[in-house]
């Protein structure tokens, strides 16, 4: 049995304690047995080891090898550039891993520093770390709970448990035993948990668990056990790096061997092979990816999404499921009156004013007017100095609807001042307020100041309505099933009528079935205040005024975001601690579900399923109701086991393990705890579901741009390799010198590649399904494109070489050098879009790329026409006809790729 199931006597006996607490000697003995009441951390890596780990990535090792080779052949500029890139990449990785360790530190901050306990029969203040099971702790408002406790006394005690349960309203506590074994934490009203804090009242609890055995300790253990999964891009780049390194080494060996066989100088061929290896290694790839992700993260902050871990930006593009909290993310986090029932009439409101006319307010008051008066007066909500409503969410909703219809609480209180009250409690399920009333009230009682007070003053006494002829009036509001037994009449425009229980309960049941929280409002008149202000004497003989149906309504932008998710092939899932009926209503209004009951599951049903049984159903479930935050981890694991990429939102401490385990953990910026923020990959600054979808769009765009860069890099490197590989095979001399290879690599792989990272999103970016998690980086024809366009580049270059040599042009090597460089610039312009023509998207839609191409072109011209650079690059100035010929041939690749895209558009295929 769990502690919440046991009665107080059994709990104290099982813990071998008493109401007077433990003796000092017994406490010391138990401290030795159970250990200090502290959260324990696993042995952590030192910062130095964290930094060294950043160099274990295969791609980074390849780059380090390239840096060593560059230094060996005297290309110190390449060596320095590669080392800077590698170190920068390592620093960024180190910072992110170091920050990830802060989640445990944030969890520890939630511990109470001290506690008041009964020791030797007297209260004593001790460090919370010295608490042991069996200690009796005195609780009071403002104190943090120092351990998990079974309450043995609770006097109107309320505890804020949002960090553990997700419930925004403080939980009312009692000391009675509960019988349900599978109650979620939020429903265990006789327990107090470490890290939560008392907001009201007082109590006494006996410590049941300390340290890592507390609920907070369990979360700490899960947080340390859950490993962060690698992002899709990290996995793909690791595979890409290994394959590329092997291919480059093999090709360089072949080029070197063929050159030696043909009788070329061994030293020249060695330098050529090494230069080719350096050129083929994509040393700019980590830098371009980091810059792309950083620019994406910067843009996402402006859209209210703060990225904490840089690779999360790209991972968003792979997300197949977005599991979102309901309250505040999919909904407004503001209770709103959606429907009312008064004077035998159902009124649909959806948060808008009813438009009670001045005419109806200035005549005999109808039941609806009296109903609104009750909503305004029997209400503890207040406006602060900034005009913001402060109070219980239910009461602020009632205040708001009354105010929108002209029933201003401040004005009404001048006419009906509150003189007494019986507060709400969970046993009675209602509250009552008393107001002084006079025989004749001005029309302000109906919420309007009329122009002529003399003509608008109303004699309520002659209206025949109850309450206005008496000295005092009481308003009672609470659950309909409670108030209907305390009432003997209902007010209609025809006067008091006998209650039709069947009719009013049918209305209430229908509202509840629509997911609304139903509240009943009633009244009673008094000649004088009762002497015995007890609920059982006062809350009888009531007259029902009407019902209100409330809910936290869905955000309008969330509905649009859900639709966009479905278009993009992403499955939105709602997770809530609310009742299944409320969850179903919100999910249907948002478009998350249709009518299939199999798409909804409760936390209790989930608890009874094994992971294997759950995995069989998980891909069909769209709504999780009455779910405890710790069950989110089970949901994440089940979806990941089915090959899905999961984004999970959360704001509480209990959400932290699931946020860490998810492919994208998303914490709430407004309501989130520090622990959840530290465990998450991304923080929503506005707690809005629509922001997640915007971030997904940005993630897809960034991955598209990374693919474009890789396509560009592989194609250009392929062109260089094919050129050097095929030239000897067709009987041509080695077309390029090592300095030419390194220069082309430097100017074409840097600025143009970086400029691709800011390419605008493709038009269909949110109209296609997510990438398959195991999809290769070479998918959708990228690898084939790199091979055939590389062959085309080599063909153009070798044609220029052969034609120049056969026609006696002495500048043939400069022409080959120039064509290879400019061909790559034409290619980068052509691949800006996977599908659309450059002439449609426009040259100026990416001004950075245009500037990079122009600058690279100018630098290439400088190597030809600046005399001081000719001996450095072994070039000679070209004649106008030679330059025109090279420019014409350099455009072949551009127009060929444009034709390829035209064929795709015509066939309707999308890369």
């Amino acid at each position: 049995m769990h502690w919440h199931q046991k009665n107080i006597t059994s709990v104290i006996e099982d813990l071998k304690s008493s109401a007077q607490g433990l003796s000092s000697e017994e406490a010391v003995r138990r401290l030795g047995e159970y250990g200090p009441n502290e959260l324990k951390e696993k042995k952590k890596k030192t910062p130095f080891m964290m930094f060294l780990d950043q160099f274990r990535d295969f791609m980074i090792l390849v780059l380090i090898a390239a840096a060593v080779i560059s230094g060996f052949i005297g290309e110190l500029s390449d060596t320095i550039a590669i080392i800077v890139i590698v170190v920068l990449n390592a620093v960024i990785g180190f910072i992110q891993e170091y920050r990830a360790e802060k989640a445990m530190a944030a969890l520890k901050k939630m511990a109470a520093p001290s506690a008041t306990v009964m020791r030797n029969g007297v209260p004593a203040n001790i460090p919370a770390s010295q608490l042991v099971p069996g200690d009796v702790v005195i609780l009071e408002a403002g104190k943090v709970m120092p351990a998990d406790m079974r309450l043995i006394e609770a006097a109107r005690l309320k505890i804020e448990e949002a960090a553990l349960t997700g419930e925004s309203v403080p939980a009312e506590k009692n000391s009675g035993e509960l019988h349900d074994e599978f109650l979620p934490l939020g429903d265990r009203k006789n327990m107090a948990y470490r890290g939560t804090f008392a907001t009201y009242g007082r109590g006494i609890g006996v410590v049941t668990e300390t340290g890592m055995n507390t609920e907070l300790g369990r979360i700490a253990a899960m947080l340390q056990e859950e490993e962060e999964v690698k992002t899709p891009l990290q996995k793909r780049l690791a595979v890409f790096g290994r394959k590329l390194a092997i291919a480059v080494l093999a090709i360089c060996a072949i080029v070197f061997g063929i050159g030696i066989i043909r009788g070329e100088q061994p030293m020249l061929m060695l330098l050529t092979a090494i230069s080719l290896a350096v050129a083929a290694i994509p040393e700019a790839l980590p830098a371009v990816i980091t810059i792309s992700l950083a620019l994406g993260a910067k843009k996402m902050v402006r859209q209210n999404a703060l990225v904490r871990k840089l690779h999360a930006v790209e991972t968003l593009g792979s997300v197949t499921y977005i599991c979102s909290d309901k309250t505040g993310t999919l909904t407004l986090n503001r209770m709103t009156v959606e429907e009312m029932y008064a004077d035998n009439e159902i009124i649909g409101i959806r948060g808008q004013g009813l438009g009670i006319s001045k005419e109806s307010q200035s005549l005999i008051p109808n039941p609806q007017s009296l109903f609104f008066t009750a909503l305004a007066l029997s209400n503890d909500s207040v406006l602060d100095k900034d005009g913001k409503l402060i109070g219980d969410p239910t009461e602020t909703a009632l205040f708001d609807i009354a105010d929108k219809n002209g029933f201003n609480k401040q004005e009404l209180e001048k006419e009906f001042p509150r003189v007494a009250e019986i507060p709400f409690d969970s046993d009675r399920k209602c509250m009552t307020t008393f107001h002084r009333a006079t025989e004749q009230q001005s029309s302000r009682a109906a919420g309007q100041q009329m122009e002529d007070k003399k003509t608008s003053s109303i004699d309520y006494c002659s209206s025949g309505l109850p309450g206005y002829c008496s000295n005092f009036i009481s308003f009672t509001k609470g659950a309909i099933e409670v108030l209907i037994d305390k009432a003997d009449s209902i007010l209609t425009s025809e006067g008091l009528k006998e209650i039709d229980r069947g009719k009013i309960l049918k209305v209430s049941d229908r509202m509840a079935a629509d997911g609304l929280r139903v509240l009943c409002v009633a009244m009673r008149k008094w000649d004088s205040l009762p002497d015995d202000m007890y609920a059982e004497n006062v809350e009888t003989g009531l007259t029902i005024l009407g019902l209100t149906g409330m809910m936290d309504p869905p955000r309008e932008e969330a509905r649009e975001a859900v639709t966009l998710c479905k278009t993009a092939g992403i499955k939105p899932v709602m997770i809530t601690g609310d009742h299944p009926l409320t969850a179903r209503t919100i999910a249907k209004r948002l478009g998350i579900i249709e009518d299939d009951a199999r798409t909804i599951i409760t936390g209790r049903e989930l608890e009874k399923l094994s992971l294997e049984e759950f995995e069989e159903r998980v891909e069909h479930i769209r709504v999780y109701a009455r779910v405890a935050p710790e069950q989110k981890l089970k949901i994440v694991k089940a979806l990941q086991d089915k090959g899905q990429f999961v984004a999970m939102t959360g704001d509480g401490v209990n959400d932290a393990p699931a946020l860490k385990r998810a492919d994208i953990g998303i914490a709430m910026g407004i309501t989130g705890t520090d622990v959840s923020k530290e465990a998450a990959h991304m923080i929503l600054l506005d707690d809005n579901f629509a922001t997640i979808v915007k971030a997904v769009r940005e993630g897809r765009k960034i991955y598209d741009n990374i693919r474009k860069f890789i396509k560009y890099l592989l194609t250009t490197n392929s062109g260089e390799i094919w050129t050097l590989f095929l030239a000897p095979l067709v009987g041509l001399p080695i077309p390029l010198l090592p300095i030419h290879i390194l220069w082309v690599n430097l100017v074409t792989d840097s600025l143009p590649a970086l400029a691709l990272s800011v390419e605008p999103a493709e038009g269909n970016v949110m109209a296609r399904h997510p990438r398959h998690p195991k999809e290769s980086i070479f998918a959708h024809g990228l690898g084939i494109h790199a091979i055939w366009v590389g062959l085309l580049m080599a063909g153009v270059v070798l044609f220029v070489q052969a034609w120049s040599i056969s026609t006696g042009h002495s500048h043939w090597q400069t022409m080959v050098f120039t064509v290879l460089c400019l061909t790559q610039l034409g290619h980068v312009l052509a691949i800006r879009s996977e599908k659309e023509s450059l002439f449609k998207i426009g040259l100026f839609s990416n001004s950075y790329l245009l500037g990079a191409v122009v600058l690279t072109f100018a630098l290439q011209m400088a190597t030809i026409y600046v005399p001081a650079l000719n001996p450095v690059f072994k070039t000679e100035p070209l004649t106008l006809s030679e330059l025109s010929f090279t420019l014409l041939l350099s455009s072949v690749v551009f127009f060929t790729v444009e034709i390829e895209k035209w064929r795709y558009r015509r066939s309707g295929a999308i890369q």
Side-chain angles (χ1 to χ4, degrees):
M1 290 176 69
H2 297 284
W3 293 113
H4 68 270
Q5 293 178 269
K6 299 183 178 184
N7 60 43
I8 295 170
T9 304
S10 298
V11 170
I12 291 175
E13 285 177 357
D14 288 352
L15 291 167
K16 296 181 173 60
S17 184
S18 71
Q20 300 303 308
L22 302 174
S23 66
S24 298
E25 294 77 14
E26 178 62 16
V28 170
R29 189 192 70 76
R30 293 192 185 192
L31 188 62
E33 180 183 349
Y34 296 104
N37 178 32
E38 294 174 339
L39 299 184
K40 296 175 184 175
E41 287 189 67
K42 282 184 178 178
K43 187 177 179 182
K44 296 191 296 186
K45 282 191 288 187
T46 64
F48 178 68
M49 287 305 298
M50 274 187 204
F51 185 71
L52 282 185
D53 281 349
Q54 308 307 314
F55 296 95
R56 290 185 179 179
D57 184 82
F58 189 81
M59 195 72 184
I60 297 298
L61 293 175
V62 170
L63 290 179
I64 292 171
V68 172
I69 293 170
S70 297
F72 173 73
I73 64 174
E75 293 297 328
L76 289 178
S77 59
D78 263 21
T79 300
I80 293 168
I82 293 171
I83 289 172
V84 168
I85 289 168
V86 167
V87 172
L88 181 65
N89 206 62
V91 168
I92 291 171
F94 166 75
I95 290 170
Q96 290 178 357
E97 188 173 343
Y98 184 74
R99 285 175 64 184
E101 297 293 327
K102 296 288 183 68
M104 271 301 295
L107 204 57
K108 283 187 165 184
K109 284 182 185 175
M110 296 183 66
S114 62
T116 303
V117 301
M118 298 295 291
R119 286 280 167 89
N120 303 314
V122 294
N125 198 52
I126 65 169
S129 60
Q130 294 182 15
L131 280 176
V132 294
D135 262 328
V136 174
V137 182
I138 299 171
L139 310 174
E140 54 188 25
K143 293 283 188 179
V144 176
M145 301 299 107
D148 286 4
M149 293 171 281
R150 169 67 162 87
L151 297 173
I152 57 177
E153 185 180 311
R156 299 182 70 182
L157 179 65
K158 292 184 180 181
I159 298 180
E160 173 63 73
E161 297 180 327
L164 277 180
T165 66
E167 295 293 334
S168 56
V169 179
E172 293 188 29
K173 296 294 184 177
N174 59 56
S175 58
E177 65 182 290
L178 301 166
H179 301 289
D180 191 338
E181 180 183 356
F182 298 104
L183 277 179
L185 293 185
D187 292 337
R188 297 180 187 180
K189 302 299 184 185
N190 57 12
M191 297 291 294
Y193 293 102
R194 177 179 178 146
T196 61
F197 64 94
T199 60
Y200 191 81
R202 59 182 178 78
I204 298 174
V206 59
V207 175
T208 55
E209 305 288 355
T210 60
M212 296 299 285
N213 292 324
T214 62
E215 289 296 328
L216 208 61
R218 286 178 55 241
I219 294 164
M222 286 192 289
L223 200 56
Q224 294 179 91
E225 287 166 7
E226 289 305 324
E227 294 292 329
E228 286 193 51
V229 293
K230 279 194 171 184
T231 69
L233 186 61
Q234 287 171 324
K235 294 173 185 175
R236 290 176 181 125
L237 288 180
V239 174
F240 170 68
R242 283 193 291 271
K243 289 181 178 177
L244 184 65
I246 293 167
V248 166
L249 291 174
I251 290 170
C252 290
I254 292 170
V255 168
F256 177 78
I258 291 174
I260 295 297
I261 292 169
R262 290 193 69 234
E264 300 285 354
Q265 295 179 14
M267 185 52 68
L268 174 63
M269 289 312 303
L270 178 63
L271 290 175
T272 300
I274 290 173
S275 300
L276 185 60
V278 172
I281 297 298
E283 65 268 19
L285 181 59
V288 171
I289 289 173
T290 300
I291 290 169
S292 297
L293 298 176
L295 290 173
K298 184 178 179 182
K299 182 176 180 181
M300 286 162 68
V301 168
R302 295 197 294 269
Q303 297 175 341
N304 291 315
L306 175 64
V307 175
R308 293 189 65 257
K309 297 169 187 176
L310 212 51
H311 274 278
V313 176
E314 178 276 330
T315 309
L316 282 160
S318 295
V319 164
T320 56
Y321 275 76
I322 300 178
C323 299
S324 174
D325 287 330
K326 177 184 75 70
T327 305
T329 308
L330 289 167
T331 64
L332 293 170
N333 195 21
R334 186 179 67 241
M335 289 298 284
T336 305
V337 176
E338 297 264 310
E339 197 169 283
M340 302 180 76
Y341 175 77
D343 194 13
N344 290 320
E345 183 181 358
I346 295 174
I347 311 152
I349 299 168
R350 292 285 166 93
Q352 303 302 312
L354 291 178
I356 302 292
S357 66
K358 286 185 179 181
E359 198 174 277
S360 68
Q361 291 178 346
S362 61
L363 301 173
I364 294 173
N366 60 42
Q368 290 179 5
S369 296
L370 197 52
F371 184 35
F372 279 110
T373 300
L375 295 182
L377 289 173
S378 186
N379 198 310
D380 291 328
S381 298
V382 293
L383 287 169
D384 65 10
K385 60 182 180 180
D386 299 321
K388 184 181 177 183
L389 260 178
I390 306 295
D392 177 84
T394 299
E395 299 219 316
T396 57
L398 300 178
F399 182 108
D400 186 55
I401 193 64
D403 194 61
K404 281 179 178 176
N405 286 283
F407 294 82
N408 182 272
K409 180 182 176 182
Q410 290 173 310
E411 292 295 320
L412 288 169
E413 282 181 333
K414 294 175 185 176
E415 307 296 333
F416 301 94
R418 186 185 297 191
V419 292
E421 65 181 281
I422 303 176
F424 176 88
D425 71 52
S426 54
D427 293 328
R428 285 172 34 247
K429 296 184 179 179
C430 61
M431 70 170 282
T432 299
T433 58
F434 287 81
H435 304 266
R436 188 183 301 279
T438 59
E439 288 190 359
Q440 202 170 34
Q441 303 292 342
S442 75
S443 61
R444 285 198 302 273
Q448 290 289 335
Q449 179 73 50
M450 308 306 292
E451 293 179 7
D452 186 349
K453 290 186 180 180
K454 289 182 181 179
T455 58
S456 64
S457 182
I458 305 170
D459 184 354
Y460 286 97
C461 193
S462 65
S463 71
L465 294 178
Y468 291 100
C469 293
S470 56
N471 293 325
F472 297 94
I473 183 172
S474 67
F475 294 116
T476 301
K477 68 174 188 277
I480 176 62
E481 62 270 20
V482 173
L483 263 59
I484 200 167
D485 290 331
K486 298 176 183 288
D488 53 24
S489 61
I490 185 169
L491 180 63
T492 70
S493 52
E494 299 172 359
L496 298 179
K497 299 287 184 182
E498 187 178 340
I499 296 174
D500 184 340
R501 290 178 62 93
K503 181 178 180 180
I504 199 167
L505 288 175
K506 186 177 180 181
V507 171
S508 172
D509 290 344
R510 202 266 310 149
M511 284 185 176
D514 287 343
L516 301 179
R517 181 180 177 185
V518 183
L519 197 70
C520 180
V521 180
M523 64 171 288
R524 181 178 171 180
K525 62 179 181 178
W526 303 83
D527 293 326
S528 62
L529 284 176
D531 295 327
D532 52 345
M533 195 68 74
Y534 292 108
E536 55 269 24
N537 298 324
V538 170
E539 293 168 349
T540 59
L542 303 178
T543 297
I544 290 177
L545 297 177
L547 306 175
T548 62
M550 292 168 284
M551 74 158 41
D552 178 12
R555 292 175 182 263
E556 192 56 44
E557 62 271 29
R559 183 200 302 273
E560 297 167 9
V562 165
T563 302
L564 190 56
C565 273
K566 290 184 170 182
T567 304
I570 300 168
K571 297 177 177 65
V573 173
M574 186 174 82
I575 300 176
T576 178
D578 268 351
H579 193 280
L581 287 174
T582 305
R584 180 195 292 271
T585 300
I586 295 291
K588 287 180 73 173
R589 283 173 60 173
L590 286 168
I592 292 175
I593 61 170
E594 303 300 330
D595 290 313
D596 190 354
R598 293 174 299 172
T599 59
I600 301 176
I601 190 172
T602 64
R604 182 168 294 190
E605 293 170 325
L606 181 56
E607 184 78 28
K608 294 174 182 177
L609 294 177
S610 66
L611 189 59
E612 293 73 22
E613 291 172 325
F614 180 41
E615 284 178 4
E616 292 178 10
R617 294 182 56 187
V618 68
E619 291 179 302
H620 303 289
I621 299 169
R622 296 292 176 270
V623 175
Y624 295 86
R626 282 281 192 247
V627 169
E630 61 267 23
Q631 290 178 312
K632 287 183 175 182
L633 184 59
K634 188 174 183 178
I635 297 169
V636 170
K637 285 181 175 179
L639 285 170
Q640 287 177 336
D641 288 348
K642 299 295 283 186
Q644 304 296 341
F645 262 71
V646 186
M648 173 69 77
T649 72
D651 55 9
V653 174
N654 259 18
D655 294 327
L659 295 180
K660 186 175 180 181
R661 174 63 188 238
D663 298 285
I664 291 288
I666 304 170
M668 301 296 109
I670 299 172
T671 59
T673 58
D674 288 345
V675 181
S676 65
K677 290 175 185 176
E678 292 293 348
H681 304 85
M682 187 174 89
I683 299 171
L684 291 188
L685 301 180
D686 59 356
D687 292 10
N688 193 337
F689 180 81
T691 302
I692 304 175
V693 181
K694 289 178 190 173
V696 169
R697 186 180 192 278
E698 190 66 23
R700 288 189 175 190
K701 183 198 85 171
I702 287 167
Y703 182 73
D704 283 352
N705 289 346
I706 290 172
R707 267 179 54 89
K708 288 170 190 175
F709 166 71
I710 292 173
K711 178 190 278 191
Y712 171 62
L713 174 136
L714 286 181
T715 306
T716 54
N717 289 0
S718 167
E720 293 164 19
I721 290 169
W722 283 121
T723 298
L724 292 169
F725 180 71
L726 294 174
L729 296 181
V730 295
L732 292 172
I734 298 297
L736 298 166
L737 298 174
I739 185 68
H740 296 154
I741 299 170
L742 295 172
W743 171 256
V744 170
N745 182 55
L746 176 67
V747 296
T748 60
D749 282 9
S750 54
L751 292 178
L754 286 171
L756 275 177
S757 66
V758 294
E759 188 65 35
E762 300 266 2
N764 68 337
V765 71
M766 288 300 281
R768 61 183 190 234
H769 282 248
R771 303 183 304 277
H772 192 280
K774 294 183 180 178
E775 177 185 289
S776 166
I777 210 158
F778 301 103
H780 306 295
L782 188 150
I784 295 170
H785 176 96
I787 293 170
W788 81 259
V789 176
L791 275 169
L792 178 62
M793 282 184 183
V796 172
V797 170
L798 295 178
F799 173 78
V800 171
Q801 182 184 10
W803 179 85
S804 302
I805 292 173
S806 65
T807 53
H809 285 78
S810 59
H811 306 151
W812 68 266
Q813 198 161 50
T814 302
M815 293 173 70
V816 167
F817 174 39
T818 304
V819 168
L820 183 62
C821 181
L822 300 187
T823 295
Q824 294 182 9
L825 296 183
H827 180 245
V828 78
L829 290 173
I831 63 166
R832 281 185 53 196
S833 171
E834 298 265 1
K835 183 182 174 187
E836 298 298 337
S837 167
L838 175 67
F839 303 107
K840 181 176 180 180
I841 62 177
L843 268 173
F844 296 96
S845 56
N846 186 345
S847 56
Y848 293 102
L849 181 59
L850 181 61
V853 168
V854 170
L855 178 59
T856 304
F857 178 82
L859 290 172
Q860 180 62 26
M861 293 300 102
T863 65
I864 301 172
Y865 294 109
V866 174
L869 296 179
N870 290 148
V872 176
F873 290 95
K874 308 294 189 292
T875 56
E876 298 169 298
L878 299 178
T879 65
L880 182 60
S881 60
E882 289 172 334
L883 179 63
S884 300
F885 181 70
T886 58
L887 291 175
L888 179 65
L889 268 293
S890 297
S891 66
V892 169
V893 169
F894 169 79
F895 285 109
T896 305
V897 174
E898 282 292 332
I899 291 169
E900 177 195 34
K901 292 193 293 183
W902 172 77
R903 286 180 59 249
Y904 271 113
R905 291 194 300 273
R906 191 177 180 188
S907 66
I910 298 175
Q911 280 190 303

